[in-house]
Amino acid sequence: MPDPTKSKWSVKRILIGLAIALCLIWSIFPFYWAVTTSLRKPAETFTVAGLAIPFLQFKPTLENWVAEVKVPENQRALRNSVIISVNSAILATALGTMAGYALARFKFHKIKNPDLTIWFLSQRVLPPVVVAIPFFLLARQFQALDKISTLIVLNTTFNLPFAVIIMSQLFKELPIELEQAALVDGYSRLGAFFKVALPLSTPGLVATAIICLAFSWNEFMFALILAQKNAITLPYIISGASDTRGIQFWFIATRALMAIVPPTVLALTVQRFIVRGLTFGAVKG
Amino acid sequence: MTTEKRVLGIALTTTPKVILLIGAALLLAGVSGVIYGVAKSFSFMLGAAILYVVITGFGLCQCKHWAWLTVLCGLAAVIVFTLVGLIQSTIPLLTAMIVWLVTGGVVWYLQVKQVKQTFRVTEDDVKFLFLLPAVTWVLLFTVFPFLYGIRTSFYKVQIGRVDQFIWFKNFVRYFKDYKIHHSIKITVIFIVVTVTVEILFGLLLALLFNQKIKGLKVYRTIMLMPLFATPVAIGFLFLTIFYEEGGPLNGFLIPLGLKVPWLSSPTWSMVCVMLVDIWQWTPFCFLVILAGLQSLPEEIYQAASLDYDPGWPLFRRVTLPMLQPILIIVLLLRLIEACKIFDIPSRLTRGGPGTATMVYSLYTYLTGLKYFDLGYASVQGFALLVIMMFIIQFFFRRMREIYA
Amino acid sequence: DVTVTSASGDVITFTPEEIGTIAAEGQQPFKGKEITITVNTGGPKGGISGPLFEWRDAWEKLTGAKLNIVEIPIAEQFQKVMVDLQTNAQQYDACMPAASWYGDLVTGGFAFSPEEYYADPRFPKWHREYLPPSLVNLHTWQGKWYGVPNDSDGQVLYFRKDVLTDPEWQKEFKAAVGYDLPVPPKTWDQVYDIANFFNNKDWDRDGEVEKDSGIALHFQVHNQGMYHFVSLSAAFTVLPGEKVDQCHNVYWFDPTDMTPLVNEPGHVKALEFLMKLAKTGPDAQISWDLGTAWDYFLRGDAVFTYSWGDVGALVQDEARSKIKGKLGAAVLPGSYEVYDRCQKQFVKMEQPNVVGNTTGGSWHGVILNSAKEKGVQEVIYHLLAFHATPKISMWNVTRGWTGVDPGWKLHFLKEQGGMSTVEDYVAQNWHKDDVTDYTQAYHDNFFAPVMQSYIRIPGGEEFWYKLDEHLSEAMSGQVSAKEALDRTAQDWNDINDRLGKEEQLKYYQESIGYKP
Amino acid sequence: MADVVLKNIYKEYEEGVPVVQEFNLEIKDKEFIVFLGPSGCGKTTTLKMIAGLEDISRGEIYIDGKQVNNMPPKDRDIAMVFQSYALYPHLNVFENMAFSLRARKYPEVEIKTRVENAANLLKINDFLKRLPKHLSGGQRQRVALGRAIVRKPKVFLMDEPLSNLDAKLRVHMRFELNKIHQQLEATTIYVTHDQIEALTLGDRLVLMKDGVIQQIGDPRTMYNRPANLFVAGFIGSPAMNFLTGILEAKDGALWLDMGTFQFKLPPRPEKLDAYIDQNVIVGFRPEDILDKQRAAFATETNVVKAQIDVIEPIGSEELLYVSTGNQTFVAKIPELAVGFTEKRSLVEKEIELAFNMEKVHLFDPKTEQALLNP
Amino acid sequence: MADVVLKNIYKEYEEGVPVVQEFNLEIKDKEFIVFLGPSGCGKTTTLKMIAGLEDISRGEIYIDGKQVNNMPPKDRDIAMVFQSYALYPHLNVFENMAFSLRARKYPEVEIKTRVENAANLLKINDFLKRLPKHLSGGQRQRVALGRAIVRKPKVFLMDEPLSNLDAKLRVHMRFELNKIHQQLEATTIYVTHDQIEALTLGDRLVLMKDGVIQQIGDPRTMYNRPANLFVAGFIGSPAMNFLTGILEAKDGALWLDMGTFQFKLPPRPEKLDAYIDQNVIVGFRPEDILDKQRAAFATETNVVKAQIDVIEPIGSEELLYVSTGNQTFVAKIPELAVGFTEKRSLVEKEIELAFNMEKVHLFDPKTEQALLNP
Ligand SMILES: Nc1ncnc2c1ncn2[C@@H]1O[C@H](COP(=O)(O)OP(=O)(O)OP(=O)(O)O)[C@@H](O)[C@H]1O
Ligand SMILES: Nc1ncnc2c1ncn2[C@@H]1O[C@H](COP(=O)(O)OP(=O)(O)OP(=O)(O)O)[C@@H](O)[C@H]1O
Ligand SMILES: [Mg+2]
Ligand SMILES: [Mg+2]
């Protein structure tokens, strides 16, 4: 389409450029702020005005980072977060892949496929606070409080529906002929799944796993309720950023960055997939 | 005497050995489940174990093919649980190995043609093998808590102290509690405002970015960053940003003579919570709508541009109606997420000042897990669930279409 | 002698008696034992949690045990510990609770009394006799010791001595208000007058009135804002008397029937006064936590604050404070009018009614019974006693960031009846002008003839939270003072009903020493 | 190589909605059978039933004399070429072709020689290492074919293998398929909805409609002697013209009265007496209608004057869409001897057309069965 | 209705990569012009430039005598039918058709009559209330067409409107398009890559390759007198056979020496002297090759013996793929006078074919320009 505003492109371009710049600043500023705050001495938190540009307005120091990283409790939380999110992502993706495949490829009669799908979806709709309390009581009953595996199970439960739906949407897009070809070529149903369907959906599988991982990583309420000492996760650690005498901002900044960076970076690697992931496959991105 | 013996003999010889074997194994598993349950008084585990034995045993006796499936699922559950136990290091590696070997053996044996024939297992039944683990998992971990929650809502519970059946008193409280009503009110306001603003902004941004811009991918990446930032961390981070005496925001505004009482005024603190939510979720709306825009066929635009100048009329008559399905999805997903809002207010404002940002989930959380008033908290939880179910119901047809 | 080195490099030397035989002999008898203690999150430089981190390596070297520090957000610590205890999960061996938890900890049978170890020479030596009765009360239950002291909380009034004693301002004040500027102020009304006079006046003479406030307080919800109200209202509500009865020396509930007193006229008046007083400070106070309010005062932007001992110590840290050497402190002012429940009216007093308070957590270590089951109670006691030794305590008290505040005879000056000297403080980098006032204020507070009672019944935390929530509603202008306190009273009633009124009453009577 | 027998096949996806019915067919060894029919008539379904990819609701299928109803696909020893090729995108050409051999655990050497032989035959040996996405449509098609032939299965199934190719390539691949079948001599079942493909490839065609077989026969029979109206209309392009007329006996001969004009039927052995004075449907193929000047068979009794609606030149010939009375029909004639632009002016002019009565088809309007074929 | 003139159009998307070049064309009022060419040759681009949907890099476009280079699309008064129809999915058929009228603020009554007229013409009045997604391909196509005609624009642009339809429907819609054009008499520019469509629809064809016009002419000219090798090969199906030969002068006549056989050229006015003893490319259309028995034009000097590779029956005729020496070619002949199954046995047998030398085409192998056309 010819650009009718081509003659005055400069004005339009500048406006668009400005708008884009604004948006970018808007979304990136908190990150920037966290970084500079973490580089300032605790006492300088509010004494440095305005944009707090490192070197210009204050001398950046890694003091906070060194102090935080050294704390073994933080290290344990980090390790727990990794264990929990990785394991639950793997479990959810594995189970989700199988169920997703079933929903995409087989017909179920008593309960129809779309109803099954929506049933799965509705699990994700469940507000955590609704099940948190019974869960807490049950976990107490089962002596499963403060266990990493409890959090793995819970995160898996909440990510599983998500993985099921995404994977089933993915498999639906995979031409059924490929598996039929494998059947005719001499493989069993399972063989066709493992030899053809699975390798072909690997990119989607990885993306789903990463998104699940990010979800579990960020999960807070269950960790808050069910962890006590051994199973403490990073969001839990951050949530303690206020001590007996209020909020310590440098402390927020360092711990927040520790929590934010990994899922964000991971999620960005599967950008292509994110829209589809977050909309449960309803929108192709 | 002899006839009885003969009947027994016939039964034993005609029933395939396989089934006898599995029956015995199941009995063993079930009995040990029962014993374990009794010993530890895990009422649910006990119930489940009994149910499992009865059902599977019944099916086995009749050579029903689903009995074969339940056995397989049970074994799969065993494998998964040992895995979890291993991760948790409550089960030693050797035990896990042995369990896996044994279950693996049983699974392998169940796959034998002869067994399959006995159970009349067909190729088609493979579908249950794929589906059941996930369904079992979800049922196991949501239905039990769910039922437990229902039970709790009829009880007065103070853990460690009181556990007493009180009929509908918790429900009556719910309708009389001015605080929960207040929470509902502000949660609704929160939802309406944030969802509207996010979708509107998302739409605007998507339109802005939906043109040939150099480096679109980079911009998109940056715009995407808030999405996966840990909400708890974000809640705290924004405390520093909203800091009133010279935080970065007021640092700009004070010289302009505007000193915004971000967190100290009840109204503004609600605005703060909304702003953070908007900050985090507008990118989502933006991304999804952008994807929607880019999936609209270009030819339709070209067709329309033969009739309209580009701009508002074209947008209103063509773009907007065609985006509608996407907008509905965004709306649905945002509604659901917004109903669940917890992390941000719980860290940014702690529900305050006063109760100005005491959103529903936060209030329920405090009731249940700070004051240990668990029965009442369960009632609150279920009320929220009912509301959410209404929302879902509203979109049900559309969802069925998508996932059909 | 035994020498220990803190994480930040300070060296303290103990005599063998002081440190106890376990540590002195270097045998490390606790080798291989591991203990877990919960503390409010604060990190290695945070309040209360800081000292644990600071001395962890040193202590571990002394004893050979391993120390796990579980930091829990202050808003969640109580509930997490209670969950652990009630579910018998036994994750924690000890906690650093606020004294208000005793109602749940001790009556629930979860706390372990280390009475037997006190005199045991194996353990580091600390001194019960240093504690004033008001603080002893917080660490014991019906005469039995449960806590090992650490922090001593109570609020005193801080002011800018340099500003209040400035003759020019004194003159102007007299002209404007009509009486001589009293230093320190004796009544809350005087505090209000002064704060109001200075608010938004360029009293620091920097040419602008932007950050020149009368008072700096903190009211963020769920962040200890309610303590301000409680310590202030004592002067309006606690009627001195011979003994504790329905009308005298009570603050929380009617000791005969558990009726909350919080919405009675004395409390309402106090809250209305507090709301008025808050207006002489920045509006943002509503969302401030205590650190923020302190920083405001430390940076020299307010004339008054009333708060815990941390402030005095923090003033000495020049990285944070600009007012070193300009600090004045005094026991909290009184009120000429006090509400009398029996007469249902305010009574006039001759002298301002000054009431000492132990407001706050007085965070200190309590050993849990589960530790005994695991056989590590001695290890924990060793740790707690180590932190209670005079040398460590002094070290903690003189550093603002530790969150440990003075309250023992040990910390007061000799002339005040204590055991320290100004030089002890100056040696730790204090300004000599600041020491006397500060220690005197605390001495006066903890040894005050009339003390405000401390809430120590089951559900104690919940009472605080409900009060806090409604106060915040009032402070942020959502409801009136009366309404807020009515709501509080209703909530308190609900809590008592839920927990069993009879039991609550019994515990309450026990905890305040009421004898029918 | 084997024969395939389908006995009374019946298939429904949803209760009571048959997709394939009364399907009876015996396919001889080495035969090339084409299933032909409009979209949705059940061709693919039948093929999948033979392959074992769909259940059979009722009926029996025999391959090489063995009943295979419940045999899983992998045991049936068939190979299938899919419409979309269904090449495994993650495997290169060699691996794609070796896939089925690997499933059957052939030794590596054997796999190699077989794949290479097939690749030689199909002239794809130059890109055995490439991934499918780097191949052109025609090359992909050949790989799909190669994948099927390496295994030397008993039966080949091909589901519209050419439909994704462009017209030019389609002609070429048709030619190749023909040659390959002549070389391999495998029993082949080929599905298409393109009648040209069916005519050019099949030994026998099976024409289906709504799941029911309409006619089975070799291409020439199907073209020249369609069994019913549907077959007649489906095969041939442009389609056969159908006119409605009444059969009349006059002067000892049979006449067709088409309202505004009458044609005389040449004497024929078929007994049409029952239809005298009845409505019949009269069919003429477009190429059996010629302008009177050039038609050797033009007589008094088979010429009609009609108005030209549209003239479509299609290279060597022209299609004349004409109408007379309420009948419209198409004639395929050699080029009209006038210049192009003048032709436009011919439209709406009249032309005299002769119908080759030797080639007339008659159908019963109710049963739609053929009464008379040339 | 208007004439359209394109002068020296040049278009590039990326700097230095021309997509359309030296495009000169004058389209007369009411003319039906077809742009024909292989995929990617720039047809759509040219069309979009005319519509104003793409900028023109250089050159000028005039509609009705007015230069429109910088006129926005909506003011050009053109209507366009898109390849994918581009129906508005959220509007029903009526609203789709009324869309452009509403944009131009026609009164409601007028809209109604216009849409209904168009719907009648296209026989879509039964589903005016339906949404596009509930229509079949052919119906959608008609709606797209209807949307274009309601407005009675000066110029119609159609971009491969039939390419998404199945073969049968395509034939039918072709006929309808032809009729509609005759009724509306609008200047129409039609884009296709299907030569049959081009031949049957166009008054004149514009054959493009890589953005350059190869030939402009009416269908018969394009078919019979292709200007170059590309045109000759592109038009006609099966494509023209190309053989390589050497032009020789012998016995006062010109001969073509094709290696294993020689053909004598009939005397022609064209001057071919320059090419004597040079390589030339010889072209024969398949229908100009016949078996010797039936060929009236068979002489001693145009018959060759060749081996049959494949026989493809295509209804009324048969395609013979034959080879001789290193030359292979296709002949389109009336049915061979043998039964069907016997034909298989003819393969690899020999046949004598006669070439109609009156219809021979000769091309320069280097410039690829036609030297001789019949
Ligand atoms: N999995 C299925 N479930 C339900 N109905 C089906 C299914 N597959 C096909 N059908 C229906 O069965 C009928 C026959 O389908 P089939 O695919 O065999 O047709 P076809 O002749 O191959 O058509 P095409 O030429 O379009 O491929 C169609 O009406 C189709 O809608
Ligand atoms: N927007 C564009 N940007 C860059 N190159 C383009 C663009 N649109 C088309 N092209 C290129 O221009 C050339 C001509 O494209 P055009 O769409 O005009 O071809 P066409 O003849 O219509 O082909 P088809 O028959 O496949 O539609 C192609 O090589 C194409 O890749
Ligand atoms: Mg098909
Ligand atoms: Mg195109």
Side-chain angles (χ1 to χ4, degrees), chain A residues 107 176, chain D residues 11-14 17-20 36-48 54 83 159-160 191-193 208 210-211:
Chain A
K107 234 185 178 151
I176 193 167
Chain D
K11 167 77 184 175
E12 56 187 23
Y13 284 109
E14 284 150 67
V17 187
V19 169
V20 174
L36 177 67
S39 187
C41 71
K43 308 178 296 288
T44 301
T45 305
T46 312
L47 207 63
K48 287 195 175 164
E54 290 284 0
Q83 178 168 1
D159 191 2
E160 314 201 12
V191 161
T192 182
H193 61 251
M208 298 170 68
D210 297 342

Side-chain angles (χ1 to χ4, degrees), chain C residues 485-503:
Chain C
L485 295 176
D486 282 345
R487 287 181 177 188
T488 311
Q490 187 199 332
D491 283 351
W492 285 8
N493 270 329
D494 287 348
I495 298 168
N496 282 331
D497 285 343
R498 218 169 61 237
L499 298 177
K501 208 167 193 159
E502 296 304 307
E503 287 223 315

Side-chain angles (χ1 to χ4, degrees), chain A residues 1, chain B residues 296-322, chain E residues 51-53 72-75 78-82 85-91 96 99-104 147 151:
Chain A
M1 199 182 306
Chain B
L296 296 184
E298 199 192 359
E299 287 205 332
I300 291 207
Y301 280 106
Q302 297 188 337
S305 71
L306 291 178
D307 298 320
Y308 285 101
D309 279 331
W312 171 248
L314 194 65
F315 175 76
R316 202 187 69 81
R317 309 268 324 216
V318 181
T319 316
L320 205 54
M322 287 202 298
Chain E
L53 300 172
K74 82 174 195 358
D75 300 333
I78 46 185
M80 186 156 172
V81 179
F82 290 83
Y85 315 145
L87 298 181
Y88 306 115
H90 58 292
L91 299 179
N96 256 290
F99 190 80
S100 62
L101 300 178
R102 291 206 197 287
R104 288 180 172 71
R147 199 173 61 180
R151 230 181 60 220

